[in-house]
Amino acid sequence: MNALLGQAWRCPRSAVLVTRRFRVKSTKPPKKAAARGGSNALQSFNELPADEQLRRRLNDRERVQRRTTPSEPALRQRYGEFYDLAKHRLNHLLREMGRWDPEHREYRAFGLHTQEDYIQEISLFKDALKKSFNLASALNMTARNDNPLFWNLRAAFIRGDMQELTKELRYALQTFLMRKKFSKSTAELHLTVADLRFPYEWFPATRQLQRTIHLHVGPTNSGKTYNALKALENAKSGIYAGPLRLLAHEIFTRFIAKGKPCALITGEEQRIPENADMFFRSCTVEMTPLNWKVDVAVIDEIQMIADEHRGWAWTQAVLGCQAKELHLCGEERVVDLIQELCARLGDKCIVHRYQRLNPLLPMEEAVGTDFKNLQKGDAVISFSRVNLHALKAGIEGATGRKCAIVYGSLPPETRAAQAALFNDPNNEYDFLVASDAIGMGLNLEIKRVVFESAFKFDGSTQRPLTIPEVKQIGGRAGRYRTANDAVCSGNEGEASVTSAQSKWGAPGFVTAMDEQDLEHIKKHLLKDAKPITAAGIMPPSHIIERFASLFPPDIPLAFVLSRLREMARLSSSFNICSFGDVLEISNVLKEFNLSIYDRSVLLTAPVSLREQAQKDVLRAFAWSIANLSGGHLLEIPEIDLEVLEVDPSALTALARKDHLVRLEGLHKAVTLYLWLSYRYRGVFISQQLAFHVKSLVEEKITNCLEAADFDAERQQKRREILRRQAQSHTKKEEKLLGEVVEDAPVAESGPGLWEAEGHEDPLYREKKEVNAALPVRVRRIAASPTGAVSQE
């Protein structure tokens, strides 16, 4: 059961006793099965009327089906265990929300004006929760349309364990409290505002253009981005939009080297040419300028349009970019979706397909833990920054050769220097350790990709690498031409003499350090990823503002956003992106007097809320925005600038780890400060100082990471632990509550509609009916002065 529900929750003592009681083996000998009649029984059956024979056959078939599905009792047991968990988290949530109080802002906002209202509504919600689990257990009603509360709770737990389950319970409770607060006409108005079926209408200026969309698709190392960039270079004005800051910097460097004026625009940095009226723009996809008419725009890694967190940025760029020619580069699986979108937009779509320039082959054997098995031109891929530096130290110690390092948060200049060292065949940098950032189009001359692990942490749990991830990262082996070649040669028409193909004369190879991981990698390389059927969207600020205006002013924005997500009507070509971090940010901001516009800006900020310190930093920034003051970097005590004065050489090994955590927290805070300084220039006025602090922090982080040592046995144990965690998470969808959760359109199922089942008028209207329905302990508490709700 621990494997099922996670280590964070322990079964209540009463449930444990009940389970043990039913597990006691009987000492009585088993009863012998009664002998069935032979020919006489068959004869009596044949003498029965035809309809009675059919009824008995159907009953017998049903009994056989029940006997051949042994998972049904186990399924009911899991439903019971999950119900215990849901009750436990609900009680925890109620304690977190606090006792009822006449001045409690949230309770007042949801219409709980008296203690009796509070007790009644909480008890009714507990009844509704129990009813939903009874429907699942007794009648196997688990579909979203049949049992929406159960379906949402199950999906939340599978998606994000205890944390997501608690969030979904909070939203379900708030929805239940709001079920009778709106008239039918108001509910219809909610549905009208939440109609997101036509997101292309959000960009009327772009709809007036007749665009030509060139879709470049193919595997890695096939030349698709190369051809798209040729079109961009030949244009008079244009935009490049990529998924990574490092990739935007690479294209920016490439254009500058060719003598073309270019601006670099990312969330935390903007470099604008001083003496040029017309210039190209290289940016991260979230920063794509939508109000600037250009000849050509290139949007890279278009398959990320389906990403559950960032997909909205690609959709926004495709729908809103005002370019005569729009070049999209990505995987084959996105073709049908882009063609469908072009048909809706009235744009012309031309598909260019490419084949890989050299083959990509998985190896039969893993590299193992001995780094002496590595070959010149190998890139070892890991998904932890600390682990990357440990691997670097281990490789250099074992081989006596230098190892370059590349990962996402490296400064662009440092990454470019490291890539150049690795790409140069005339030095001692034979190896590279890199994060999955190289899978997003970064050009490196890699002969063989070695996966240190086939699992990664996605922000909430460890999970196996997906098919697209394996192909994207592994496909970097045997690169045909690097951006460094392009910068040095300055002529795209020349054949690349330093290409990976001419240097090694062999295909790219993919392997892993462990045999178990290699099997996973090989299977994924041979499979095709599923086609992308829907693009991600996020409601823009004007829709959020209008939707929020239909609710009482004290209603938390988190509930408004959750309600908008639940009520949203979508076409088959669009999905709403994940609201996970958005809801958490909105909860942090609820205490400040901010406009909906300011809240919408902060909802898209690069905030990591896993640490309490980052929440405090966000609150400090929100206070400065609300008061339009106090935005000087040195005036914000929540920014841990004191860590810069610490000498790491005087710290113990354990203290150095804590020191590194503090440095990374400061780096996140300064990055957020820079992001806000471009949006609230009059408030956050220390931009130059922030850039200086950021460079100091990055230097100190690099020094700390370079001091990491490598322990082969410890690394092997770490990989085994990650593998077990990822496999446990994968099995949870199958083990937890049985079948795989089915997909259903959000707009077609409750609790999306106010008048849906469970949202009708209260079951009890008179006070005596309420008291009669409440448990005895709750009635006693209702009569007490404190009025806390029973936690049973």
Side-chain angles (χ1 to χ4, degrees):
M1 188 165 68
N2 285 336
L4 170 68
L5 299 176
Q7 299 295 329
W9 178 78
R10 292 182 179 180
C11 187
R13 178 176 175 83
S14 58
V16 173
L17 293 176
V18 170
T19 305
R20 287 176 180 167
R21 186 163 66 246
F22 280 102
R23 285 179 180 172
V24 175
K25 295 183 179 179
S26 175
T27 57
K28 296 180 181 180
K31 296 180 180 180
K32 294 184 179 180
R36 292 182 179 272
S39 58
N40 293 335
L42 181 61
Q43 184 178 0
S44 60
F45 178 82
N46 291 333
E47 293 175 352
L48 292 173
D51 56 344
E52 180 64 17
Q53 291 184 20
L54 178 59
R55 187 185 67 80
R56 291 195 179 188
R57 285 197 182 100
L58 291 175
N59 289 342
D60 289 341
R61 185 180 303 167
E62 184 178 356
R63 280 194 292 270
V64 170
Q65 287 175 348
R66 287 180 178 176
R67 286 198 298 268
T68 55
T69 52
S71 61
E72 189 173 327
L75 200 58
R76 290 202 183 98
Q77 183 181 358
R78 292 188 190 116
Y79 289 151
E81 292 168 354
F82 189 45
Y83 177 53
D84 290 338
L85 174 62
K87 288 194 301 183
H88 173 78
R89 298 312 299 171
L90 177 60
N91 293 333
H92 173 79
L93 174 63
L94 293 173
R95 286 193 296 269
E96 186 182 83
M97 294 173 67
R99 296 174 180 269
W100 181 86
D101 186 270
E103 302 302 320
H104 198 296
R105 184 175 178 181
E106 185 171 351
Y107 291 152
R108 256 200 347 261
F110 285 99
L112 303 181
H113 300 293
T114 66
Q115 186 177 357
E116 182 181 294
D117 291 340
Y118 172 72
I119 296 174
Q120 173 188 350
E121 292 296 316
I122 297 300
S123 300
L124 289 177
F125 178 72
K126 288 184 176 182
D127 288 343
L129 184 67
K130 183 177 181 180
K131 177 183 175 183
S132 70
F133 277 88
N134 286 340
L135 290 175
S137 178
L139 303 177
N140 199 27
M141 294 176 61
T142 60
R144 189 168 191 172
N145 291 331
D146 298 331
N147 196 351
L149 178 57
F150 177 84
W151 191 95
N152 287 333
L153 294 177
R154 175 178 63 177
F157 185 62
I158 291 174
R159 182 173 62 247
D161 218 319
M162 305 281 285
Q163 186 177 9
E164 288 298 320
L165 176 62
T166 306
K167 289 180 183 178
E168 192 63 39
L169 277 168
R170 176 187 286 270
Y171 170 64
L173 174 60
Q174 292 173 336
T175 302
F176 186 83
L177 297 177
M178 293 293 291
R179 69 192 184 280
K180 54 181 180 178
K181 298 294 185 291
F182 296 101
S183 64
K184 186 175 181 180
S185 59
T186 306
E188 291 175 353
L189 184 56
H190 287 165
L191 286 174
T192 302
V193 177
D195 189 351
L196 308 180
R197 290 175 296 173
F198 313 107
Y200 33 83
E201 294 180 355
W202 302 340
F203 311 97
T206 309
R207 298 289 72 80
Q208 296 176 9
L209 302 176
Q210 182 62 48
R211 303 184 302 175
T212 300
I213 295 182
H214 294 268
L215 181 57
H216 304 265
V217 294
T220 53
N221 195 19
S222 60
K224 53 184 183 296
T225 307
Y226 163 78
N227 284 281
L229 290 176
K230 277 177 59 179
L232 180 61
E233 290 176 6
N234 294 330
K236 294 181 180 179
S237 60
I239 300 169
Y240 171 83
L244 297 176
R245 177 175 61 95
L246 295 180
L247 198 53
H249 190 274
E250 185 176 283
I251 302 302
F252 165 77
T253 305
R254 175 176 178 166
F255 274 62
I256 295 298
K258 291 176 177 292
K260 296 180 178 294
C262 185
L264 175 67
I265 304 174
T266 67
E268 60 192 68
E269 183 180 15
Q270 295 186 14
R271 302 184 191 179
I272 309 296
E274 295 181 357
N275 301 318
D277 295 329
M278 293 292 294
F279 49 85
F280 294 88
R281 286 170 168 83
S282 181
C283 54
T284 48
V285 70
E286 286 87 351
M287 301 297 294
T288 305
L290 304 178
N291 55 352
W292 189 49
K293 291 184 179 181
V294 296
D295 294 330
V296 174
V298 175
I299 301 176
D300 212 352
E301 305 297 339
I302 188 59
Q303 70 276 357
M304 288 194 69
I305 198 171
D307 185 80
E308 66 171 333
H309 300 290
R310 297 179 63 198
W312 62 269
W314 273 263
T315 305
Q316 173 182 274
V318 170
L319 300 181
C321 193
Q322 298 186 42
K324 296 177 183 177
E325 285 188 14
L326 184 60
H327 292 257
L328 311 177
C329 307
E331 300 174 12
E332 175 72 30
R333 60 197 181 105
V334 81
V335 171
D336 291 343
L337 174 62
I338 296 299
Q339 288 179 329
E340 181 182 347
L341 292 180
C342 289
R344 294 190 178 200
L345 300 175
D347 294 332
K348 182 180 179 182
C349 183
I350 303 174
V351 180
H352 308 270
R353 288 184 167 86
Y354 301 84
Q355 298 297 321
R356 187 176 168 89
L357 298 175
N358 60 342
L360 180 68
L361 302 174
M363 301 194 72
E364 294 300 323
E365 294 182 355
V367 171
T369 56
D370 188 357
F371 290 133
K372 293 181 181 179
N373 295 330
L374 293 176
Q375 304 169 7
K376 180 179 174 63
D378 280 356
V380 181
I381 309 301
S382 183
F383 306 103
S384 162
R385 185 163 49 165
V386 174
N387 201 44
L388 284 173
H389 282 269
L391 288 169
K392 180 178 184 291
I395 291 171
E396 291 181 341
T399 62
R401 305 290 291 177
K402 291 290 186 180
C403 180
I405 184 168
V406 169
Y407 54 86
S409 56
L410 268 182
E413 293 79 9
T414 305
R415 186 211 61 84
Q418 291 286 310
L421 289 172
F422 176 71
N423 288 335
D424 187 355
N426 301 318
N427 61 26
E428 57 182 356
Y429 281 82
D430 290 352
F431 312 108
L432 171 74
V433 291
S435 69
D436 52 347
I438 70 167
M440 289 295 179
L442 296 179
N443 290 307
L444 296 159
E445 293 194 1
I446 298 169
K447 178 180 179 181
R448 183 173 63 167
V449 167
V450 181
F451 284 89
E452 186 260 344
S453 173
F455 307 93
K456 68 178 292 187
F457 183 73
D458 63 359
S460 59
T461 185
Q462 294 288 344
R463 63 165 178 81
L465 295 176
T466 62
I467 294 175
E469 287 172 336
V470 170
K471 290 191 171 185
Q472 279 284 93
I473 299 171
R476 300 297 143 184
R479 293 290 298 172
Y480 184 73
R481 180 180 175 85
T482 67
N484 184 55
D485 295 333
V487 170
C488 294
S489 68
N491 188 351
E492 292 294 347
E494 298 177 3
S496 174
V497 224
T498 59
S499 68
Q501 190 174 8
S502 60
K503 283 172 68 175
W504 292 301
F509 294 99
V510 181
T511 185
M513 293 186 68
D514 295 338
E515 291 291 344
Q516 290 175 290
D517 291 339
L518 180 57
E519 290 302 315
H520 179 84
I521 299 298
K522 287 165 67 175
K523 289 178 182 177
H524 277 31
L525 281 176
L526 298 176
K527 290 181 180 178
D528 291 328
K530 294 181 179 179
I532 294 174
T533 58
I537 61 171
M538 188 67 76
S541 58
H542 70 272
I543 288 182
I544 295 176
E545 188 170 1
R546 187 179 177 195
F547 193 75
S549 68
L550 302 176
F551 291 82
D554 288 338
I555 291 291
L557 182 61
F559 174 77
V560 174
L561 293 171
S562 299
R563 197 63 193 159
L564 176 57
R565 175 193 62 185
E566 194 73 31
M567 300 185 72
R569 286 191 285 177
L570 302 168
S571 73
S572 59
S573 301
F574 300 101
N575 280 332
I576 289 189
C577 288
S578 172
F579 271 45
D581 292 339
V582 169
L583 297 180
E584 195 166 353
I585 293 173
S586 62
N587 279 326
V588 172
L589 301 177
K590 64 183 179 181
E591 59 188 274
F592 300 100
N593 185 23
L594 296 168
S595 67
I596 293 295
Y597 173 80
D598 290 334
R599 293 178 189 273
S600 299
V601 170
L602 290 172
L603 292 180
T604 60
V607 184
S608 174
L609 297 179
R610 286 198 292 270
E611 303 93 8
Q612 180 60 40
Q614 296 305 309
K615 295 182 181 180
D616 295 337
V617 169
L618 179 60
R619 288 190 182 95
F621 291 161
W623 185 91
S624 297
I625 295 172
N627 294 276
L628 298 177
S629 63
H632 195 286
L633 189 67
L634 301 180
E635 295 178 354
I636 304 175
E638 288 80 2
I639 299 180
D640 187 15
L641 295 173
E642 291 78 10
V643 70
L644 295 174
E645 302 175 1
V646 177
D647 181 12
S649 61
L651 300 176
T652 63
L654 184 60
R656 279 198 297 270
K657 291 182 179 179
D658 294 335
H659 179 64
L660 179 60
V661 171
R662 288 183 64 189
L663 285 173
E664 290 180 335
L666 176 58
H667 189 271
K668 293 174 183 176
V670 174
T671 299
L672 178 58
Y673 185 95
L674 287 171
W675 190 89
L676 291 170
S677 69
Y678 287 108
R679 291 153 179 83
Y680 299 95
R681 293 182 181 272
V683 177
F684 302 100
I685 56 178
S686 310
Q687 190 180 83
Q688 294 303 317
L689 178 60
F691 273 118
H692 177 65
V693 171
K694 182 171 176 285
S695 63
L696 291 177
V697 175
E698 289 169 348
E699 182 180 352
K700 286 183 172 290
I701 288 176
T702 302
N703 293 336
C704 284
L705 292 174
E706 286 178 348
D709 57 345
F710 181 79
D711 185 331
E713 184 178 353
R714 186 175 62 206
Q715 291 291 332
Q716 181 69 22
K717 289 181 179 178
R718 170 186 166 275
R719 287 196 294 272
E720 291 175 358
I721 291 172
L722 295 182
R723 189 179 296 114
R724 286 198 299 269
Q725 289 177 348
Q727 290 171 348
S728 173
H729 176 72
T730 303
K731 291 178 180 178
K732 183 163 62 171
E733 294 189 10
E734 301 173 1
K735 290 184 66 178
L736 177 67
L737 313 179
E739 71 280 6
V740 178
V741 181
E742 68 275 15
D743 294 325
V746 175
E748 295 180 3
S749 56
L753 307 178
W754 293 106
E755 64 271 16
E757 182 181 358
H759 291 209
E760 60 272 2
D761 291 337
L763 301 177
Y764 312 105
R765 297 186 178 276
E766 302 293 335
K767 182 176 180 179
K768 58 182 181 180
E769 293 178 343
V770 175
N771 291 333
L774 296 181
V776 175
R777 186 177 177 185
V778 174
R779 275 181 258 163
R780 291 174 183 167
I781 294 174
S784 69
T786 58
V789 173
S790 169
Q791 303 301 318
E792 293 183 351

